[in-house]
Structure formats: C-alpha cells, structure tokens
Amino acid sequence: MTGVVITGIQWGDEGKGKFVDMLADKADFVVRFQGGNNAGHTLVVDGKVYKLRLLPSGVVRDGVTSIIGNGVVFNPWGFFEEVQQIESQGRDINPNNLMIAENTTLLLPIHMELDALREEHAQENKIGTTKSGIGPAYEDKVGRRAIRLCDLAHEDYLKQRLSLLVAHHNVQRQALGAEKINEEKLFADIKAIGKKILPYVKPVWKILDQAKKESKNILFEGAQGTYLDIDHGTYPYVTSSNTVAGNASAGTGMGSGFAHKVLGIVKAYTTRVGEGPFVTELTNNIGEHLAEKGHEFGTVTNRPRRCGWFDSVMVAQSVALNGCTSVVLTKIDVLDEMEELKICTGYKLNGEVINYVPASIKDQENIIPIYETLPGWKSTTYGITTEEKLPIQARNYIKRIEELIGVKASLISTSPERNDTIIREKPFS
Ligand code: GDP
Ligand code: IMO
Ligand code: MG
C-alpha cells in the first residue's frame, strides 16, 4: 500500500483540491480526515469547475472510492446538497463509491446557528468563522454529548442523545438571546435524513485496513491549513480540528506508519481569510493586485482573502509540523506581473531575530518581518508545463524558496487546470 497525505501549509486555500484531483488518477481511495463543509476545494477539469466542501476530491474520477473519515464533522443536509450539485455536473455518487465512517460526528443546524450567534455577539473578538457550525460540533464531540452517524440506526437512543444535546444548547442559546430549539421538529428532520444517510455508513477503518493489505494507493485529503490547526495554528484564530498530516491517522483509524509521502500544498505568496495575525500582509496596492489576479475570494463565504508576501519562516515550520517529504508550489502565475518579489526570511521580535512562529498571539502581533528582495519576471507563466519554459527569475524564486524551507517542490502549478502543472516527481509511481 502507498499512503500519501496532502495538507495545507499556510492558512488554507493553497490549491489542495487541484492536487488531490490530479493525483487521484493513480489513487484507489481518497479520504477526508478532518474539518467539514467549512472547506472549499476547487477542481478545474477541461474548463469544467467543481466546487467541493464535504465531498472528497476523488468524486470526479472513475474507479476511486471516496471516504469521509471519523475525524470529520458531518452535515448530512450539506452533503446531499453537494451530491445533487455534483450529480448535476454528470457524476454519480452512491454507497458503492462513497462511504462515511460509523463513528463520525453529526453536525446539525443548531451548530450552525450557535456558530453564527457567537460570532455576532463576539463583535471585535470574532474569529471570522465560515459559520458552518464546525466549532460547536467539535465541542459537542469532545464534550461527549454529540450524536454520531451510527446512532441514526437506533431511534430510541437517538432520541435520548438529542434531548441531552438540546438541553445543553438551550442554555447557551438563552444566554445569547435566541429561541429554544424545537426538539420534536429537529428529531423528525434527523430521522428523515438519517434514513437517506445510513446506506453510506460503514466501518471505514476496516475498509482502509483491507485496502492496506491489498496494497492499494490511498490519498488523504487535508482541509484548511497548518496555521488554522487547533494546536499549531494562530490560536484562537483557528479552526477546531487538527489539520496537520498526523491527524490522517486518528481521523480515519489508519494505524501509524501509514504515510509514505506527505505533500504540503504551498501558495507562492500568502493568503488568509478571517481574522487573526498575518505578519507579511500587504494592505496596499500590491496586496490588491495579488487578490485580483489570484481571484482571492473565499470559495465558501465569498469573503475577500487577505494577501501578503511569501513567508518562509511559517512554511519551514509547517514542513516540520507536517513531516512534508516535498511541497507543491501553486499559483506561480499570479506573480507574473510583479516588478520585484519579497520573501520573508526571518522575524524580529523585541529587538531579537528569531526563525520560528512564536505560539503567543501577542508575540505574533508584534513581529517585524525581515525581507529579501528578488527580481520579478514580468512575463506569463500561465499554463506552462515544462520547467525549461519558466523564466530564469521564476526558477530562481522557486530555488530560493526550496533553500529556505529545506524541501523540494515536487510539483509546480501554473493555472487552476488539472494538467497545467510542472511535474518533477509524482508521489504514486
Ligand atoms: P483549496 O481549499 O486548498 O483546495 O484551494 P481553493 O480551491 O479554495 O483555492 C485555490 C484557488 O486557486 C482555486 O480557485 C483554484 O482553482 C485556483 N488555483 C489552484 N492552483 C492554481 C494555479 O497554479 N494558478 C492559478 N491562477 N490558480 C490556481
Ligand atoms: P480549505 O479547506 C481557508 C478559516 C475561517 C476562519 C477560521 C475558523 O478550503 O482550505 P471555521 O468555520 O473553521 O470555524 O473558521 O478558519 N477557514 C478557512 N480558511 N480555507 C479553509 O478551508 C478554511 N476553513 C476554515 O475563515 O478564519
Ligand atoms: Mg479552499
């Protein structure tokens, strides 16, 4: 078996979807292991655009089994909406080609409501979440009061579990000035959707164990990015799951030693959507240019993404946190019109030079970036698929990034299209 993990190295939206889709040509399984429909992964195949939130990016390939692992928080209504959308684009999704782990946490409308209520009340302390209910759903999971997909098959038990959950939520809702939950209606809604979802619900760990024994190729699809990780990110401005590659084990039931390769997806500059510190942020016309040229609008919320220079300190740390064997460098073409490019090579904090991202948000806010300047290439790289065709300045930019982060770029992306990629080394032989 060959296990390859794909994770986001910055603050998400690095282009994970494009590469999961591209590499899925050699995969037997594509597996999501964390997050939920806060993710927005864009795939472009021969001009046709697919936008996926909860569905693994293997769903557009024939012969790939898509798996949603136990580490995900699962919104069944969102799931069916997405299935319908993707089916309207000509794909067929059914319990033979898509499976969801029995022990996956159910995300309910009350989680989305609580997420939105909290954000409204937090005002200037808001996180800037996607309001998909991710935080509240993970809280209920860790608080041991969540409903799991396996509970849908046991009506009396489901009712008991829902009562527990509703009692907990009602206290919080009251404090936030919201109405009490209509428990009867919610129970009826869950029962109805439960019937539709149960055929997809399987012991995923066992399916993956069998796949391992049969030497299958398994691609693990990360969502979000390392600096949104609940432990390693810019806390509290993070999501509520571990996004790093290690969670591909716990979030699916795959034993350790499963990852032969870890590909970190890295944007050739930096973006962030939502609140929180951003050391190399450009709040000037250069930032605006990157946003416009890179179409930097959130796939899920359509919010503008904040843009900034490439931060090698962040990326080098992320390479270590994920155990990246190589990186995939995306959106090189977005830099085509730049006169010159800056790379952040170190931080100054309280007069001292440091080469890591300090955990404290207070320190992160006070960092002064140290930059190195490289010449731009002022010519188009859009759609280039061979390295020799890249201008020398672009090759030098990539080389410098590799030196600073300590691993090679095995793939380089020059457009949203699946095949517009310079392939130096593919993870599945
Ligand atoms: P993900 O969340 O990591 O899957 O990334 P998103 O899909 O949210 O955002 C990445 C965006 O960049 C999408 O619109 C992609 O189609 C697009 N994209 C990916 N790679 C490239 C590239 O090399 N060049 C350009 N111009 N766009 C790209
Ligand atoms: P993909 O998989 C970029 C951000 C939100 C917010 C924070 C918490 O497409 O890269 P949440 O709704 O998770 O509680 O929000 O995390 N965020 C993302 N940013 N890409 C994503 O996913 C994101 N998913 C969540 O903007 O700052
Ligand atoms: Mg995205």
Side-chain angles (χ1 to χ4, degrees):
M1 164 250 180
T2 305
V4 174
V5 188
I6 290 204
T7 52
I9 290 303
Q10 292 141 321
W11 277 295
D13 302 326
E14 299 91 349
K16 297 175 290 294
K18 166 172 169 168
F19 283 92
V20 174
D21 165 55
M22 183 193 164
L23 300 175
D25 69 333
K26 289 269 166 39
D28 300 296
F29 293 84
V30 174
V31 190
R32 278 281 304 268
F33 57 90
Q34 47 71 232
N37 59 356
N38 51 345
H41 296 176
T42 316
L43 283 49
V44 186
V45 186
D46 298 331
K48 200 163 173 179
V49 181
Y50 301 89
K51 288 186 183 289
L52 303 173
R53 295 182 58 177
L54 194 49
L55 297 181
S57 297
V59 292
V60 308
R61 293 267 191 191
D62 293 332
V64 170
T65 303
S66 296
I67 298 229
I68 297 180
N70 56 276
V72 167
V73 282
F74 183 82
N75 174 340
W77 295 274
F79 171 79
F80 282 114
E81 247 174 58
E82 214 175 306
V83 165
Q84 206 175 22
Q85 169 61 33
I86 297 302
E87 289 198 331
S88 77
Q89 293 183 276
R91 302 300 308 167
D92 175 37
I93 294 169
N94 59 62
N96 293 321
N97 63 21
L98 188 140
M99 294 153 201
I100 314 161
E102 300 177 301
N103 45 346
T104 303
T105 299
L106 192 62
L107 187 150
L108 297 168
I110 56 175
H111 292 120
M112 295 168 67
E113 288 160 21
L114 190 57
D115 194 352
L117 276 167
R118 286 198 185 138
E119 286 286 276
E120 277 154 32
H121 279 255
Q123 292 183 2
E124 73 274 14
N125 291 320
K126 70 173 196 246
I127 307 290
T129 73
T130 59
K131 298 186 185 162
S132 316
I134 305 298
Y138 276 116
E139 282 171 37
D140 283 340
K141 171 182 178 172
V142 177
R144 292 163 291 188
R145 57 183 169 264
I147 296 169
R148 306 198 302 172
L149 295 192
C150 50
D151 301 335
L152 297 171
H154 304 276
E155 202 173 307
D156 289 345
Y157 183 62
L158 177 65
K159 201 165 193 163
Q160 279 175 33
R161 296 295 296 172
L162 183 64
S163 288
L164 256 179
L165 194 62
V166 164
H168 179 83
H169 274 247
N170 273 339
V171 175
Q172 298 186 60
R173 289 167 75 101
Q174 197 178 15
L176 295 166
E179 281 176 6
K180 279 196 169 178
I181 295 162
N182 181 342
E183 188 176 329
E184 240 169 73
K185 179 177 181 304
L186 184 56
F187 182 60
D189 290 348
I190 297 173
K191 251 186 5 181
I193 200 101
K195 285 207 177 75
K196 285 176 69 186
I197 213 73
L198 276 171
Y200 294 87
V201 178
K202 311 259 164 79
V204 152
W205 71 269
K206 205 163 184 304
I207 293 163
L208 291 175
D209 189 50
Q210 187 60 29
K212 191 157 64 175
K213 288 174 180 145
E214 289 172 9
S215 300
K216 300 287 190 196
N217 287 341
I218 309 178
L219 195 52
F220 296 87
E221 176 175 10
Q224 291 81 55
T226 304
Y227 291 92
L228 292 170
D229 181 286
I230 187 74
D231 287 296
H232 299 289
T234 48
Y235 190 93
Y237 298 98
V238 291
T239 192
S240 297
S241 67
N242 283 117
T243 66
V244 290
N247 195 24
S249 171
T252 59
M254 224 28 193
S256 63
F258 65 101
H260 300 89
K261 295 204 173 140
V262 177
L263 298 195
I265 313 296
V266 182
K267 210 177 267 192
Y269 48 100
T270 315
T271 63
R272 165 164 217 173
V273 54
E275 310 302 317
F278 183 168
V279 174
T280 61
E281 184 168 13
L282 290 161
T283 50
N284 56 14
N285 60 338
I286 303 175
E288 277 165 30
H289 169 78
L290 292 174
E292 200 186 310
K293 177 120 176 139
H295 303 292
E296 297 294 358
F297 290 91
T299 317
V300 173
T301 56
N302 209 29
R303 287 176 292 174
R305 295 177 185 146
R306 301 152 65 189
C307 295
W309 296 121
F310 187 87
D311 184 343
S312 76
V313 179
M314 252 183 94
V315 174
Q317 182 161 327
S318 203
V319 162
L321 293 170
N322 286 280
C324 293
T325 46
S326 68
V327 296
V328 176
L329 202 58
T330 65
K331 300 190 108 167
I332 275 286
D333 55 291
V334 175
L335 304 177
D336 282 351
E337 289 162 38
M338 305 289 286
E339 203 67 58
E340 55 178 34
L341 295 159
K342 288 191 199 291
I343 298 180
C344 171
T345 56
Y347 294 159
K348 228 174 187 182
L349 179 65
N350 305 325
E352 278 188 35
V353 174
I354 59 167
N355 64 354
Y356 68 97
V357 184
S360 158
I361 203 94
K362 285 287 127 204
D363 287 339
Q364 288 166 16
E365 282 166 359
N366 289 325
I367 284 168
I368 300 165
I370 301 167
Y371 286 118
E372 187 174 295
T373 305
L374 278 79
W377 43 92
K378 301 280 282 172
S379 62
T380 183
T381 60
Y382 193 87
I384 284 182
T385 54
T386 48
E387 194 159 357
E388 303 73 54
K389 290 205 175 130
L390 279 182
I392 183 72
Q393 297 89 337
R395 276 185 269 165
N396 286 340
Y397 183 70
I398 295 165
K399 195 162 152 240
R400 185 65 184 132
I401 285 175
E402 291 176 325
E403 281 166 9
L404 287 162
I405 67 175
V407 286
K408 292 274 171 214
S410 48
L411 299 153
I412 298 159
S413 176
T414 57
S415 107
E417 269 285 345
R418 180 192 272 172
N419 294 324
D420 288 347
T421 302
I422 297 167
I423 302 171
R424 286 169 159 178
E425 185 198 320
K426 265 196 158 189
F428 294 121
S429 42

